[in-house]
Amino acid sequence: MDYLICLVLVLLSGLFSGLTLGLLSLDTQTLRRRAKHGDTDAARIYPIRQKGNLLLTTLLLGNVAVNTTLSIYLSGLASGLLAGLLATALIVVFGEIVPQAVISRYAIWFGSRTIWFTKFVLLLAYPIAYPIARALDYFLGHEMPNVYSHSELMDIISEHEDSEHSAIDADEERILHGALRFSHQSVRAVMTPAKQVVAYDEHQVLSLIHISRCRRRG
């Protein structure tokens, strides 16, 4: 029974730690866009993730409470030094490193599957977490949105075109890059030099062969 309790506490520690990193690493704007386009996992997470300070406070309170309980419980099963070493090893490896490494890579998928647990903990810790979260909202304000420069957007488009998981092709990349550069483009950069311009009389009859020769000469 003692080992079972320890196992449950370690699992809870890992879950709190992994969800803290995983959920709070998700951008609210990205979640909103994905939910808008039919991503059900993002739609489940977005209302919870939107309340960033409340979510952060709740998960940290849960993590601290579980880790403290685990340390106290182990101290009753072993000597002081041994209990300290066991608690540290279990919390660091199985309560921090492993769950954070796993959940951070699959944050949306994992967060959606455990959203019931997150909602339950939010309800349970609400009397303590809510005042702290409100104070953070008051002094720190809302989270700053991610705003990208033209150069960053162009890099993002290029990265998507290079990725095998993206549907953006080379033509779309070129068009989007051109559109992002348009308002900063000078006339000199896009104009045709006068020596390459070919003029025709308004009554002149042109053939396709003549036009192709002029283009090659230009």
Side-chain angles (χ1 to χ4, degrees):
M1 188 64 181
D2 292 334
Y3 293 108
L4 180 60
I5 294 175
C6 289
L7 177 61
V8 171
L9 290 172
V10 171
L11 290 176
L12 286 175
S13 175
L15 187 57
F16 278 118
S17 176
L19 288 176
T20 301
L21 179 62
L23 291 179
L24 291 168
S25 66
L26 296 174
D27 176 46
T28 54
Q29 295 168 294
T30 302
L31 286 173
R32 184 174 65 249
R33 287 193 297 268
R34 295 184 66 163
K36 178 181 177 181
H37 293 289
D39 190 324
T40 56
D41 288 342
R44 291 192 195 101
I45 296 172
Y46 177 65
I48 301 298
R49 176 61 185 87
Q50 203 176 11
K51 304 169 184 176
N53 286 327
L54 179 61
L55 179 62
L56 172 65
T57 305
T58 300
L59 292 176
L60 287 179
L61 283 173
N63 197 23
V64 171
V66 169
N67 289 341
T68 303
T69 303
L70 178 61
S71 300
I72 295 173
Y73 195 80
L74 286 174
S75 66
L77 299 178
S79 63
L81 179 59
L82 182 58
L85 292 175
L86 283 174
T88 302
L90 289 173
I91 291 171
V92 170
V93 177
F94 299 105
E96 299 289 340
I97 296 175
V98 174
Q100 287 189 15
V102 174
I103 296 178
S104 64
R105 285 169 171 77
Y106 308 99
I108 292 182
W109 184 91
F110 202 93
S112 175
R113 270 68 184 175
T114 57
I115 198 66
W116 60 270
F117 174 80
T118 305
K119 289 180 178 179
F120 173 75
V121 176
L122 283 168
L123 181 63
L124 195 64
Y126 192 82
I128 300 174
Y130 180 74
I132 300 174
R134 287 291 295 173
L136 291 173
D137 289 337
Y138 179 79
F139 289 106
L140 301 179
H142 297 289
E143 294 181 55
M144 296 294 292
N146 288 328
V147 179
Y148 302 101
S149 66
H150 285 71
S151 299
E152 289 173 317
L153 286 173
M154 290 170 67
D155 287 340
I156 291 172
I157 293 167
S158 296
E159 290 168 3
H160 277 68
E161 196 279 327
D162 294 336
S163 173
E164 61 181 9
H165 304 291
S166 173
I168 295 179
D169 58 33
D171 289 334
E172 291 170 332
E173 178 190 15
R174 177 178 52 81
I175 293 169
L176 291 170
H177 279 195
L180 288 170
R181 281 194 294 256
F182 181 77
S183 60
H184 303 282
Q185 199 76 273
S186 64
V187 174
R188 179 177 294 276
V190 298
M191 71 180 185
T192 302
K195 63 180 180 180
Q196 295 181 10
V197 175
V198 178
Y200 299 98
D201 183 78
E202 62 178 321
H203 301 295
Q204 184 176 351
V205 178
L206 303 177
S207 66
L208 292 176
I209 297 176
H210 179 74
I211 294 173
S212 63
R213 286 176 179 173
C214 291
R215 285 179 176 174
R216 288 198 298 270
R217 187 167 60 248

